[in-house]
Amino acid sequence: MLHLINKSPFESMSLEDCLKYANKGASILLYEDGIYAAMPGTAVSERMAGVTADYKVYALKEDMMLRGVDKVMDGVTEIDYAGFVGLVEESKTASW
Amino acid sequence: MAKLMVVFRTSPYGTIYSFEGLENVLIMGAYDQDVSVLFIDDGVLAIKKGMDNSSTGIKDFSPTFRALEAYDIEKIFIDRTSMESRGLKLEDLVIEPEIIEADAVEKMMEEQKNFFMF
């Protein structure tokens, strides 16, 4: 399963809600404001370190660039629009 | 001259609020009001350096914040906790607001004739 998160982790519970139901090993794609969860050195970084240990976590590069986020924390994989499409093609998706 | 404050509390691209807030600041500045600006919560993300819209084509309005001074808007503040919890330091921002603590925010709002949340 591919879980899609597009809300800021500082303002929304959508990532936490997703994590309540997603089984370990599932994929989580952070896009739009969701990419803020992958910024290094934030109040949610410690939580995210645990998440990346249990899930495959991706962040959409184009949305990072627009928001001035030039790097992601360890354990998160940057993907571009083409990679996004590839993931969607091979998985069932859930938007939170 | 009315004391007015515009508070930015949302992220820059997830919704239109942040952009609308900036438009409001510029309009009030043009009418020569006593305008101050405060960044709290995800609003601090609106003034992060390094935004690059080359692959999305979405309007990057962060450089416009640098024009506030030209409108004589010099009272610009940022909440320390909001900034630090998002991994940001002053040098990561396109402007240099004055850092304030959360317990100063309410008093600052009370001093205004009006304040506007975006």
Side-chain angles (χ1 to χ4, degrees):
Chain A
M1 191 88 174
L2 174 66
H3 298 276
L4 302 175
I5 305 289
N6 71 342
K7 301 286 195 306
S8 161
F10 308 110
E11 301 290 335
S12 158
M13 292 300 288
S14 65
L15 176 59
E16 288 301 325
D17 288 345
C18 161
L19 290 168
K20 280 188 282 187
Y21 307 104
N23 290 316
K24 289 182 181 180
S27 298
I28 297 172
L29 171 63
L30 308 170
Y31 73 110
E32 296 175 356
D33 281 355
I35 64 99
Y36 290 126
M39 273 197 301
T42 76
V44 300
S45 296
E46 203 175 308
R47 168 69 172 143
M48 286 303 295
V51 173
T52 59
D54 290 337
Y55 301 90
K56 282 173 283 188
V57 181
Y58 303 90
L60 189 61
K61 181 70 184 169
E62 284 85 348
D63 287 340
M64 289 172 52
M65 288 169 62
L66 178 64
R67 289 162 179 76
V69 176
D70 55 7
K71 57 180 183 298
V72 291
M73 56 184 296
D74 290 347
V76 176
T77 307
E78 294 177 20
I79 60 162
D80 59 10
Y81 284 143
F84 188 170
V85 172
L87 283 178
V88 170
E89 272 179 342
E90 69 191 31
S91 328
K92 284 250 170 67
T93 61
S95 293
W96 294 85
Chain B
M1 223 189 334
K3 274 176 80 80
L4 306 170
M5 172 173 260
V6 175
V7 183
F8 289 87
R9 57 176 300 268
T10 58
S11 58
Y13 300 106
T15 67
I16 196 71
Y17 290 110
S18 182
F19 180 69
E20 293 284 340
L22 180 57
E23 298 260 283
N24 270 263
V25 174
L26 296 176
I27 290 165
M28 291 170 193
Y31 282 93
D32 209 21
Q33 301 297 307
D34 181 4
V35 183
S36 47
V37 175
L38 170 64
F39 295 90
I40 60 173
D41 300 332
D42 269 0
V44 304
L45 298 166
I47 48 173
K48 189 176 186 320
K49 272 183 190 164
M51 294 183 187
D52 175 358
N53 63 352
S54 59
S55 59
T56 44
I58 292 170
K59 185 177 171 61
D60 169 14
F61 55 95
S62 64
T64 312
F65 284 103
R66 291 201 293 261
L68 294 183
E69 208 169 308
Y71 284 75
D72 290 328
I73 297 166
E74 285 159 353
K75 285 179 278 186
I76 306 178
F77 307 94
I78 190 167
D79 169 49
R80 179 190 304 279
T81 308
S82 302
M83 181 175 79
E84 291 179 352
S85 65
R86 287 158 184 80
L88 299 175
K89 301 184 179 65
L90 274 185
E91 59 261 34
D92 298 319
L93 307 177
V94 294
I95 51 177
E96 195 170 329
E98 182 182 330
I99 296 176
I100 60 166
E101 308 299 329
D103 60 9
V105 168
E106 188 183 50
K107 183 166 183 292
M108 203 172 263
M109 289 173 174
E110 279 176 343
E111 288 168 357
Q112 311 298 321
K113 179 167 190 292
N114 281 305
F115 63 89
F116 306 88
M117 291 274 198
F118 288 93

